[in-house]
Amino acid sequence: MNTAFLDFFIDPVLRAPTIGSMLMCLAASFVGVLAFVRRRSLLGEALSHCAYPGVVISALITPLFFSASEEALALAVLIGAFCSGVIGLWVIDKLEHRFRVSDDAALCFVLAIFFGVGVLVASRIQITHALIYRKIQVFIYGQAATMTDSHVYMYSGLVLLSATILFCFYREIQVSFFDRQFAKSIGIRTRLVDRVLFFLLVLAIVIGIRSVGVVLMAGMLISPAVAARQFTHSLKWMFCIAGLVGAVSGFLGNFFSIALPEWGKKAGFDWDFILPTGPMILLSSVTICFFALFFAPDRGLLSRFCRIVKFRDRCILENVLKSMWRKGEGAKVSFKEFASWASYSQFFTFFLLLRLRRQGWMEKKQNLFCLTSDGRLRAAHIVRLHRLWEVYLVHMGQKAEKVHRSAEEMEHIITPELEKELTDLLKDPRQDPHHQPIPRKEV
Amino acid sequence: MNLNPYWGAGFFHVLALFFKRLFLFLTGQLSWQQMASDEVQIFVLVLLSFASALIGTFLVLKRMTMLANSLSHTILLGIVIAYVVLLPFSQENPSHGLSIEVLLIASLITGVITTVLTQLMTHLMKLQEDASIGLIFTSLFALGIIAVTVFTRNAHIGIEAIMGNIDALHFNDLKIMGLIGAVDFVVIMLFFKEFKIVSFDSGLARSCGYPIQFFNYLLMVLTSATAIGAFRAVGVLLFLAFLVGLPLTARLLTQRLHKMILLAFVIGTVCSIVAVALSRHLLSIYKMPLSTSGLVVTLIGCTYFLACLFSPHRGILKRRS
């Protein structure tokens, strides 16, 4: 069997699981953004476990009243999961506020106890209703493969519902997240907004546990939000990116769970199985998330690291210029002398000098190095910033003998705007606190 | 194969029989090899509540329970890694349960990897702490499930890991649990003062020069060792309920650290004995086999609720009156 991308949307067996997981991941990532911004990411972990006893109990009760048709059972399970999720939420809230349990302990306790109750009831069902028991176990690790078209209709309805609520309350949510006091003052009922948020959270979990399972639901809420945060500062775009990441990973999870064993078989392994979909969805989403954490343009680890290296490098260059400037106008230094007072290796010094000459700040005359006029201007500017900062610190009440160290750092950081502010504030001083002249600002 | 003496016994009958046989065991009139499966269950659960009273108290005080939660998930990956590393060296069939060295390696790997990765995410990637916990443990757990699927060609093996299979407990499990309990006890007693100061006032601890990070890692390694001991015996879920539920219940009843640990242990012991007796009672009188792990967790939840009602300093009944 060779599965192409498009088959996942057309093939009657693959279509329902793929679209179902994509919808569910979409809902989860929308709500995950809310939880992430509210700094309650692990609430999802607790609530997904809380939903389990609801699933089990409703599966036990439903056949007593209704005919045990597939659709009725699926709907009952959703309602049960929702109810026990809400109860779990209430208990967590009580524990935290009434009994002063720290939030992590409250979450952990509630998830363990609720899940335990679920296990207890499930062990009863295991004997009495073996068929239903097998259907319920699906919820622990999730199983997208057995989804049918009716599931997809139900889930798309729920996703539409949560998206609509989110859209209607968008302004209120946004304002009350970023400034609670302000939101209260303009008449937004922040407690109501919180309730809506928690309602959405439980809803997303109820939708999600069918395909990724109780245990992995937390990761599905968090990872798209984290990935989206790396790329943008705006809440609106965060929703869009997180939704995209979620939907894509929902598809990729289904794709790889079938494609990976096939590739393994082609490579000669004895892989005659289908990988579980839930973990694959989560792993795809986490992979995207890690990619974003490392390589995002502004906040990524790589670009932050590059910025640090660049800044250090600039500091070194500027320090060299400064010390050449101090030698006086027209001072000439041989390579050996240079290497001895800059405490770097010969190799590094060679490159340093090469780069300084490339920049046009230094020149080489008969094996001796000296500053060009450009270099002198640049160095004078740094010294000016250094001494300006010293004057400013003394102006602010610091002792003159203590200001040098701070100025050593600030001279590399001060921007032209700040320099202008300082000059205006200090009325363009001529001397620093150590009675050294401050170089004039060149035009 | 001798018949289980508890067969067909009711609740109080089980209790009476248990204490009578316990006396016989202690005085040497019955050899330890003759232990019935109900007794093995009780002893394992009591040892587990001992270990988790010791560790869990500090975890709750240090607000590290969510890290313990993530450890209880990631040990799945730790065990798989330990098997893959050790398989070439061991002669025995890996399906025969865990040998001690596998346990040790798995718990070390898991404890350190999970904690290091989570801290890396928080410090290096500048992520919120709870988000990094959630991200790391779910992805490691997913990797664990995939690895188990690839190695065993069965996608449903992990369910037992969560639920545990308390009815299949063996005398060897008791030995492992006893060993882990002893290790926990020795380590906590050795560093009791240090753990106390680190969990109550980490600022003071730092200024006194205690290596805070070292104690965090030590606690995490102990936790994962206990989790792995509990993993096969009772499932990670029950372990979590013990680890968090017992100290929280004890916390409602007392304000002192020594008493809190002791009380947590006592509550755990009572819950375990009652749960095993209750499940035997239900089986013999009503012919209703229930999961003992589920029963213990539910009992712990009920005990917490009772403690909420009657707690001396913040109980519900106290304030109203």
Side-chain angles (χ1 to χ4, degrees):
Chain A
M1 183 174 73
N2 191 13
T3 38
F5 271 104
L6 220 60
D7 278 355
F8 282 87
F9 297 100
I10 301 167
D11 186 86
V13 182
L14 295 176
R15 185 179 59 196
T18 310
I19 297 175
S21 331
M22 286 175 72
L23 282 174
M24 154 267 145
C25 291
L26 196 70
S29 35
F30 281 156
V31 180
V33 170
L34 294 178
F36 180 76
V37 176
R38 259 318 287 282
R39 297 181 166 263
R40 296 303 305 260
S41 303
L42 283 179
L43 196 58
E45 159 78 355
L47 289 183
S48 63
H49 284 76
C50 286
Y52 183 65
V55 170
V56 179
I57 291 171
S58 62
L60 183 67
I61 295 174
T62 323
L64 301 179
F65 298 105
F66 307 101
S67 61
S69 71
E70 190 77 17
E71 280 77 23
L73 190 67
L75 195 66
V77 160
L78 281 182
I79 296 171
F82 186 79
C83 293
S84 70
V86 171
I87 295 174
L89 195 61
W90 181 78
V91 174
I92 290 172
D93 186 60
K94 273 282 164 245
L95 281 183
E96 281 178 11
H97 295 117
R98 176 70 175 77
F99 294 101
R100 311 259 179 76
V101 179
S102 62
D103 54 353
D104 66 316
L107 293 181
C108 208
F109 179 70
V110 168
L111 84 84
I113 298 296
F114 270 68
F115 204 68
V117 173
V119 169
L120 183 66
V121 182
S123 71
R124 175 94 187 107
I125 295 183
Q126 191 174 11
I127 308 294
T128 53
H129 307 74
L131 196 69
I132 295 178
Y133 177 74
R134 229 174 299 140
K135 275 182 197 153
I136 290 169
Q137 288 317 87
V138 162
F139 282 90
I140 292 185
Y141 289 125
Q143 195 181 59
T146 52
M147 276 202 220
T148 56
D149 283 347
S150 60
H151 284 102
V152 173
Y153 293 135
M154 206 146 58
Y155 290 140
S156 44
L158 289 176
V159 171
L160 210 62
L161 176 67
S162 52
T164 317
I165 294 175
L166 198 59
F167 191 73
C168 293
F169 280 87
Y170 181 76
R171 263 211 73 70
E172 283 83 355
I173 289 174
Q174 191 186 27
V175 174
S176 70
F177 272 13
F178 287 102
D179 199 333
R180 235 179 143 68
Q181 295 306 320
F182 174 68
K184 268 184 196 162
S185 74
I186 61 170
I188 292 174
R189 283 184 290 171
T190 49
R191 287 192 67 90
L192 182 73
V193 174
D194 274 357
R195 291 235 176 90
V196 170
L197 159 66
F198 290 139
F199 171 80
L200 284 176
L201 190 61
V202 178
L203 196 64
I205 286 166
V206 169
I207 301 171
I209 52 176
R210 179 67 173 72
S211 49
V212 286
V214 161
V215 184
L216 296 177
M217 195 57 218
M220 213 46 238
L221 287 167
I222 298 171
S223 50
V226 170
R229 182 69 188 90
Q230 288 300 107
F231 290 107
T232 178
H233 294 289
S234 115
L235 189 63
K236 199 165 49 187
W237 280 106
M238 230 174 123
F239 278 117
C240 299
I241 297 174
L244 188 70
V245 171
V248 166
S249 48
F251 171 74
L252 285 181
N254 275 283
F255 177 72
F256 281 122
S257 73
I258 293 173
L260 220 55
E262 268 180 23
W263 294 341
K265 252 189 266 177
K266 269 186 201 148
F269 291 107
D270 176 27
W271 282 5
D272 204 12
F273 50 82
I274 289 177
L275 287 172
T277 327
M280 288 314 285
I281 293 177
L282 184 89
L283 281 183
S284 335
S285 159
V286 168
T287 311
I288 297 175
C289 174
F290 270 100
F291 192 79
L293 283 173
F294 277 104
F295 302 114
D298 195 30
R299 293 166 56 98
L301 187 68
L302 197 68
S303 75
R304 268 191 292 135
F305 184 71
C306 285
R307 273 207 301 276
I308 291 173
V309 168
K310 247 186 200 161
F311 178 70
R312 291 248 168 92
D313 182 62
R314 214 184 80 204
C315 290
I316 291 172
L317 285 185
E318 290 185 346
N319 284 342
V320 168
L321 285 180
K322 217 170 58 178
S323 20
M324 282 299 287
W325 184 84
R326 285 223 192 84
K327 290 248 159 194
E329 200 163 350
K332 290 193 174 73
V333 181
S334 71
F335 180 79
K336 240 183 183 165
E337 207 179 331
F338 195 92
S340 73
W341 52 255
S343 56
Y344 304 120
S345 69
Q346 294 234 341
F347 184 71
F348 190 78
T349 317
F350 178 76
F351 265 95
L352 209 61
L353 286 171
L354 199 70
R355 287 184 47 210
L356 282 167
R357 272 157 59 197
R358 269 283 184 75
Q359 300 262 14
W361 291 336
M362 266 198 169
E363 55 191 353
K364 193 175 175 186
K365 284 176 188 163
Q366 301 131 21
N367 270 341
L368 291 176
F369 295 92
C370 63
L371 286 175
T372 61
S373 57
D374 255 12
R376 288 201 66 77
L377 278 178
R378 172 98 189 146
H381 185 233
I382 299 160
V383 173
R384 174 180 162 80
L385 293 181
H386 180 109
R387 293 183 178 165
L388 260 181
W389 188 251
E390 287 184 337
V391 177
Y392 173 69
L393 284 184
V394 170
H395 175 79
M396 293 305 284
Q398 289 242 16
K399 293 247 172 62
E401 63 270 21
K402 283 187 181 170
V403 295
H404 176 74
R405 185 168 291 240
S406 162
E408 274 294 297
E409 288 169 12
M410 287 305 288
E411 64 191 13
H412 308 295
I413 301 169
I414 293 175
T415 56
E417 297 84 41
L418 194 57
E419 185 198 349
K420 189 171 176 311
E421 293 274 323
L422 282 177
T423 317
D424 292 347
L425 177 76
L426 304 168
K427 303 192 184 69
D428 201 8
R430 296 294 168 93
Q431 264 194 344
D432 77 350
H434 313 294
H435 307 292
Q436 301 282 333
I438 295 179
R440 300 284 80 215
K441 186 171 171 56
E442 72 284 358
V443 191
Chain B
M1 196 68 195
N2 38 354
L3 205 65
N4 190 337
Y6 293 97
W7 184 255
F11 182 72
F12 294 105
H13 189 184
V14 172
L15 286 187
L17 198 58
F18 172 70
F19 285 113
K20 191 177 134 205
R21 281 175 61 96
L22 184 66
F23 180 73
L24 291 180
F25 280 128
L26 291 177
T27 50
Q29 295 175 44
L30 269 171
S31 85
W32 294 101
Q33 301 301 326
Q34 285 171 298
M35 201 178 279
S37 73
D38 292 53
E39 281 154 4
V40 176
Q41 287 178 19
I42 291 182
F43 287 134
V44 166
L45 287 175
V46 168
L47 280 173
L48 181 64
S49 63
F50 174 67
S52 37
L54 280 173
I55 301 173
T57 306
F58 287 108
L59 284 175
V60 168
L61 290 175
K62 284 167 73 66
R63 303 181 170 223
M64 285 163 74
T65 50
M66 264 308 176
L67 215 51
N69 175 30
S70 71
L71 270 185
S72 69
H73 288 93
T74 51
I75 52 168
L76 185 65
L77 186 65
I79 289 175
V80 175
I81 292 176
Y83 269 136
V84 174
V85 171
L86 281 187
L87 210 51
F89 304 107
S90 69
Q91 302 296 317
E92 54 188 311
N93 186 352
S95 63
H96 271 170
L98 306 165
S99 57
I100 290 292
E101 58 268 33
V102 174
L103 272 179
L104 200 70
I105 292 177
S107 67
L108 275 175
I109 292 174
T110 319
V112 173
I113 284 185
T114 314
T115 321
V116 166
L117 281 183
T118 310
Q119 290 198 340
L120 268 187
M121 293 295 280
T122 324
H123 294 139
L124 205 61
M125 306 287 192
K126 315 260 181 215
L127 214 57
Q128 301 164 16
E129 199 191 352
D130 54 348
S132 54
I133 289 177
L135 211 57
I136 291 298
F137 91 79
T138 47
S139 49
L140 290 184
F141 187 70
L143 276 179
I145 295 180
I146 303 272
V148 169
T149 315
V150 171
F151 287 120
T152 64
R153 280 130 176 75
N154 178 358
H156 297 285
I157 196 123
I159 290 181
E160 196 152 289
I162 290 189
M163 312 283 204
N165 196 350
I166 201 166
D167 303 313
L169 277 181
H170 192 258
F171 191 68
N172 278 342
D173 295 318
L174 185 57
K175 275 191 207 157
I176 292 175
M177 211 47 238
L179 188 73
I180 289 170
V183 170
D184 287 345
F185 180 72
V186 169
V187 174
I188 297 275
M189 281 304 130
L190 267 181
F191 297 112
F192 190 77
K193 190 186 69 181
E194 284 82 357
F195 273 122
K196 195 172 168 182
I197 194 169
V198 166
S199 39
F200 278 103
D201 194 339
S202 63
L204 177 65
R206 188 172 292 128
S207 64
C208 291
Y210 289 108
I212 295 181
Q213 284 300 326
F214 169 74
F215 285 110
N216 283 349
Y217 279 107
L218 191 62
L219 199 57
M220 279 295 117
V221 169
L222 285 185
T223 312
S224 61
T226 316
I228 286 191
F231 177 73
R232 210 185 92 78
V234 293
V236 287
L237 168 83
L238 181 54
F239 165 68
L240 262 189
F242 267 105
L243 200 67
V244 187
L246 298 182
L248 279 186
T249 316
R251 181 81 187 77
L252 281 175
L253 301 176
T254 179
Q255 305 270 31
R256 302 203 55 86
L257 184 61
H258 289 86
K259 272 192 193 165
M260 192 172 153
I261 295 177
L262 205 63
L263 214 57
F265 174 48
V266 171
I267 293 168
T269 309
V270 172
C271 280
S272 325
I273 295 176
V274 170
V276 173
L278 201 61
S279 101
R280 173 56 77 184
H281 178 82
L282 290 172
L283 181 63
S284 32
I285 308 295
Y286 300 105
K287 303 276 174 279
M288 206 160 94
L290 283 180
S291 144
T292 314
S293 344
L295 215 52
V296 184
V297 178
T298 314
L299 268 180
I300 291 176
C302 295
T303 320
Y304 186 80
F305 179 68
L306 285 181
C308 285
L309 287 183
F310 297 109
S311 157
H313 49 279
R314 44 180 87 128
I316 293 173
L317 298 181
K318 172 92 177 171
R319 275 201 197 166
R320 296 254 165 91
S321 60

